[in-house]
Amino acid sequence: DADVTQTPRNRITKTGKRIMLECSQTKGHDRMYWYRQDPGLGLRLIYYSFDVKDINKGEISDGYSVSRQAQAKFSLSLESAIPNQTALYFCATSDGGEQYFGPGTRLTVT
Amino acid sequence: SQELEQSPQSLIVQEGKNLTINCTSSKTLYGLYWYKQKYGEGLIFLMMLQKGGEEKSHEKITAKLDEKKQQSSLHITASQPSHAGIYLCGAGSSGGSNYKLTFGKGTLLTVNP
């Protein structure tokens, strides 16, 4: 079984809808991250969390919110989706060393 | 903020050829990570370099860190179609902590059989 899982893997939604992307990990890491990847822009950090009570904004947090429900779970929400949030979203975990990435969620906002 | 520039942006090679991808940082490098990504999939960790002059190898992939130049290079020997994908470098933030990584935009490698 994969160490970092993301659900859903693909999602198409309409402008204005609320959507949640979920991430679970079995590596026992405290640190979890959400990134988005866009062609030509690379990976950009949205939010990161060092433990259940510690949430930090990344470089592009506007329009997003997160919840760290447990050490193993970190979810990303788009309160009111807009088309420029169409992207590939990755969750990652770390114990302070390299980051381990999930398979990604491809989100399309129409 | 730290920026990582990768070159080339894309590369097409014939199977069996050697190739090099570079990653140059705008600031001092405290830790450099190389990842590989298959199109539309997650990132797979390849290796991490921390000390100037450090060199690591895994199968036919070798990475080096030049601290003075604030640069890392990834070299693939005798490329194979399985090497195709996007290679990304990521660098830890200042102070030696890698709690946040900044990534380059990636190098797209195509290996023609």
Side-chain angles (χ1 to χ4, degrees):
Chain A
D1 288 342
D3 295 321
V4 184
T5 57
Q6 292 183 234
T7 55
R9 293 294 314 279
N10 289 283
R11 180 72 181 267
I12 301 173
T13 192
K14 292 183 184 291
T15 297
K17 293 291 187 182
R18 183 179 188 275
I19 184 169
M20 179 182 290
L21 309 183
E22 298 189 354
C23 176
S24 294
Q25 53 111 347
T26 58
K27 297 193 74 66
H29 291 165
D30 286 327
R31 301 175 183 184
M32 297 188 74
Y33 307 80
W34 275 105
Y35 294 89
R36 64 177 280 176
Q37 186 177 39
D38 299 273
L41 296 178
L43 274 170
R44 293 180 292 167
L45 183 63
I46 306 172
Y47 271 95
Y48 60 101
S49 169
F50 287 171
D51 62 39
V52 175
K53 296 182 180 180
D54 181 74
I55 305 287
N56 303 279
K57 292 182 177 180
E59 56 182 300
I60 54 161
S61 59
D62 287 349
Y64 302 95
S65 63
V66 290
S67 174
R68 185 80 184 267
Q69 301 94 325
Q71 185 204 37
K73 296 184 183 295
F74 192 35
S75 59
L76 176 72
S77 293
L78 287 69
E79 297 300 326
S80 179
I82 55 177
N84 75 1
Q85 291 178 313
T86 293
L88 187 54
Y89 289 84
F90 288 106
C91 172
T93 75
S94 169
D95 64 355
E98 64 268 22
Q99 293 184 13
Y100 294 85
F101 285 78
T105 294
R106 186 167 295 281
L107 176 65
T108 303
V109 183
T110 61
Chain B
S1 61
Q2 184 173 33
E3 291 185 359
L4 294 177
E5 184 171 337
Q6 287 188 234
S7 61
Q9 290 184 330
S10 64
L11 189 56
I12 301 174
V13 300
Q14 206 64 32
E15 184 177 358
K17 295 294 186 183
N18 302 337
L19 63 105
T20 299
I21 298 169
N22 292 306
C23 175
T24 304
S25 173
S26 61
K27 295 188 176 182
T28 302
L29 284 169
Y30 290 98
L32 194 290
Y33 298 77
W34 282 102
Y35 288 85
K36 179 186 174 185
Q37 181 183 20
K38 292 273 189 185
Y39 179 75
E41 298 180 10
L43 281 69
I44 305 298
F45 170 72
L46 295 176
M47 54 192 88
M48 178 184 74
L49 305 166
Q50 281 194 309
K51 302 175 184 177
E54 187 172 12
E55 179 176 322
K56 288 187 177 178
S57 294
H58 176 68
E59 297 180 343
K60 294 185 178 180
I61 301 176
T62 300
K64 300 178 185 179
L65 181 62
D66 186 328
E67 204 171 49
K68 289 183 180 178
K69 291 184 179 178
Q70 297 177 175
Q71 183 178 75
S72 177
S73 60
L74 186 82
H75 184 77
I76 298 177
T77 304
S79 59
Q80 301 169 354
S82 61
H83 288 127
I86 301 170
Y87 289 82
L88 295 101
C89 61
S93 54
S94 62
S97 170
N98 53 20
Y99 68 91
K100 279 200 305 179
L101 293 183
T102 298
F103 286 90
K105 294 181 180 179
T107 295
L108 175 61
L109 173 63
T110 303
V111 180
N112 290 326

